[in-house]
Amino acid sequence: LKLSGAGIITFGAHKLSVSNDIITGYLANTTSVSLMLGAGTGFDLPRLVQDLNRYPYGCLEQTISTTLPLLYLSELAEYVHVDVDKADLRKAVEHGIQRLGTMQLSNGAFGYWSARDDAEPWLTVYALDFMVRAKAAGFQVPDHMYEQTLEWVADKGVKRANDWLKKKTAQSVRAYAIY
């Protein structure tokens, strides 16, 4: 089905009205609108998972950003009728948690590449966010890693952020930590 201009799309008892009004106010010939309808999700889940595994570096942000979506992959795969190997998925998440542990400083914060780096305030909150979600999804997060991070975020990330961070950084760290 291709529709140019305006019209009504009828799908069984449902009707969807499409008009040119949705692009009113935009510069002529610079705007287009696409509408995709179908029973599927419209995205290629296996390719997206494959892309996650292609992150080229093992820094703190990429470790979390690669592992975090895996917490929800099993549920999403069921929804879109894609098979995933749950044992491999569990191993990948556990590996991400272990990798995260190698970047934790003795004070509970996280370094960008290792435990020898300076603390990364916003990314430490991101690491705590990930750990909370991992625990809720039934994964084992070492208690000492979780507790130290929680203490660091409560103290340095919320209570005393203004003492050692630039104002904008302190505000974003505090806002994320409180969230």
Side-chain angles (χ1 to χ4, degrees):
L1 172 71
K2 185 169 184 167
L3 176 67
S4 296
I8 296 176
I9 300 170
T10 304
F11 197 72
H14 304 284
K15 291 184 180 182
L16 177 64
S17 178
V18 180
S19 78
N20 289 330
D21 293 344
I22 60 176
I23 59 172
T24 299
Y26 290 94
L27 190 59
N29 299 319
T30 65
T31 307
S32 66
V33 177
S34 297
L35 173 67
M36 189 165 88
L37 302 172
T41 61
F43 62 91
D44 182 357
L45 185 62
R47 184 188 59 76
L48 293 173
V49 171
Q50 191 174 37
D51 288 348
L52 280 176
N53 290 325
R54 289 188 185 154
Y55 268 38
Y57 310 109
C59 66
L60 179 60
E61 182 276 322
Q62 286 191 356
T63 298
I64 299 168
S65 295
T66 298
T67 310
L68 181 64
L70 301 179
L71 299 176
Y72 307 103
L73 183 59
S74 183
E75 183 179 329
L76 182 60
E78 286 179 27
Y79 177 74
V80 297
H81 310 290
V82 172
D83 291 328
V84 294
D85 186 327
K86 291 183 180 182
D88 283 348
L89 183 60
R90 179 160 281 286
K91 283 180 194 173
V93 172
E94 289 169 352
H95 176 75
I97 293 169
Q98 288 172 346
R99 171 74 181 123
L100 196 63
T102 68
M103 293 181 264
Q104 188 171 34
L105 285 62
S106 61
N107 66 3
F110 286 84
Y112 198 72
W113 291 104
S114 75
R116 293 180 306 275
D117 295 335
D118 292 334
E120 289 288 336
W122 196 91
L123 291 175
T124 295
V125 179
Y126 187 34
L128 179 60
D129 185 10
F130 166 74
M131 287 186 271
V132 168
R133 292 169 188 250
K135 286 171 73 96
F139 290 92
Q140 179 63 39
V141 175
D143 290 337
H144 69 279
M145 185 166 85
Y146 177 79
E147 293 299 328
Q148 282 186 309
T149 307
L150 191 58
E151 288 173 20
W152 186 93
V153 168
D155 182 40
K156 294 272 193 178
V158 177
K159 291 179 188 170
R160 298 189 306 145
N162 285 338
D163 295 349
W164 70 288
L165 295 172
K166 292 180 182 173
K167 186 176 182 178
K168 276 189 168 183
T169 303
Q171 290 171 343
S172 68
V173 168
R174 186 176 288 120
Y176 189 14
I178 292 170
Y179 161 78

